[in-house]
Amino acid sequence: TIISMLSVLVGAAVMILITSKVRRKFEELDSGLSDLAKNLDALAEEISSDPGYKQSVADAPSPAKATEAVVEDEMEALGLKIRTMQYEMERYLDYVHAQAFTDPLTHVGNTNAYQEEIRRLDEQIKNGNADFCAVIFDIDNLKIVNDCFGHSCGDRIIRGAGMAIAGVFGRDRTFRIGGDEFIAIPLGLTEEQANAKLSSVDAAVKSFNTTPVHPDAALSLS
């Protein structure tokens, strides 16, 4: 009986010791997660303060809302916060990527996007499965428009060119590679189909010029 009682007491002491260590570990974990949550809140506030980012997600679908029930478990609450922050980070990275590869004036691809496309096409050429054509556009007399009627008028001409080209070839296949230069790289077109699209670009330019940006300035593409 004495041996049994001593065994129970020793076992209880060991359990108390183990429980105490586990409790300390959980307290340290809880403290670390609380600090992480504070850092996530600060990061979320910094991201959401970017006016461009706020505008880009204004009309975007919101993530699934968490249940309205009160989350009593701190670990579960922190997990929910981390998952929400992960979604926001992914959306912000998409926004940053778009900013890095989009021309801000025309919203078509910029030179970064163009270089990425060139690298992709080079790989296809090496593999022998490339099927594309390139159409280079140049805005006529843009410098004269800027000098005579102002850069705001010139910017509207540039935007009109981007709209006309991207409206036919698609924004993902259109790149602004200079101040007055664009290139469209459609895939899988015959020469006849490409020429038909060029005619469509001419029609889009004429449509744009029905409401000219200035009486003496019109969009013209070579």
Side-chain angles (χ1 to χ4, degrees):
T1 302
I2 291 173
I3 292 174
S4 298
M5 292 178 63
L6 287 174
S7 298
V8 170
L9 290 173
V10 171
V14 170
M15 288 298 297
I16 291 173
L17 180 62
I18 293 174
T19 302
S20 175
K21 289 184 176 180
V22 171
R23 183 182 296 111
R24 284 197 298 271
K25 290 292 184 182
F26 271 105
E27 288 174 352
E28 292 173 1
L29 179 62
D30 180 65
S31 175
L33 288 173
S34 296
D35 292 340
L36 175 61
K38 292 177 182 177
N39 292 335
L40 289 175
D41 286 339
L43 182 59
E45 183 177 353
E46 182 176 348
I47 290 174
S48 61
S49 65
D50 186 326
Y53 174 66
K54 289 192 292 186
Q55 181 63 33
S56 71
V57 300
D59 300 325
S62 299
K65 291 184 177 180
T67 177
E68 295 181 359
V70 177
V71 182
E72 297 180 354
D73 190 315
E74 289 186 14
M75 302 286 283
E76 183 180 349
L78 288 169
L80 178 62
K81 182 174 292 186
I82 290 171
R83 289 193 297 274
T84 301
M85 189 60 208
Q86 181 181 7
Y87 172 85
E88 292 296 335
M89 283 294 295
E90 290 173 354
R91 190 158 64 166
Y92 184 67
L93 288 174
D94 289 341
Y95 161 75
V96 171
H97 182 273
Q99 292 295 104
F101 288 86
T102 303
D103 177 59
L105 182 61
T106 60
H107 302 295
V108 300
N110 61 11
T111 53
N112 291 333
Y114 173 65
Q115 293 300 328
E116 283 293 314
E117 181 64 14
I118 290 300
R119 282 190 282 270
R120 190 183 71 81
L121 292 175
D122 281 343
E123 286 299 318
Q124 291 185 357
I125 292 171
K126 291 177 183 177
N127 296 331
N129 59 357
D131 184 9
F132 68 94
C133 65
V135 189
I136 301 173
F137 299 87
D138 188 273
I139 301 175
D140 299 327
N141 304 317
L142 181 62
K143 185 178 186 305
I144 295 175
V145 171
N146 285 331
D147 291 344
C148 296
F149 311 116
H151 284 272
S152 61
C153 183
D155 286 348
R156 292 170 66 186
I157 291 287
I158 294 171
R159 281 194 293 268
M163 290 170 53
I165 300 168
V168 174
F169 290 100
R171 289 192 183 279
D172 60 328
R173 308 306 310 163
T174 304
F175 308 89
R176 185 183 176 199
I177 58 175
D180 58 355
E181 291 180 300
F182 292 81
I183 184 168
I185 310 179
L187 305 177
L189 293 185
T190 65
E191 185 175 354
E192 181 180 1
Q193 291 171 328
N195 286 328
K197 285 188 175 291
L198 286 178
S199 297
S200 297
V201 172
D202 290 338
V205 170
K206 290 179 181 178
S207 176
F208 176 81
N209 286 330
T210 56
T211 54
V213 298
H214 189 278
D216 296 319
L219 171 61
S220 175
L221 290 175
S222 295

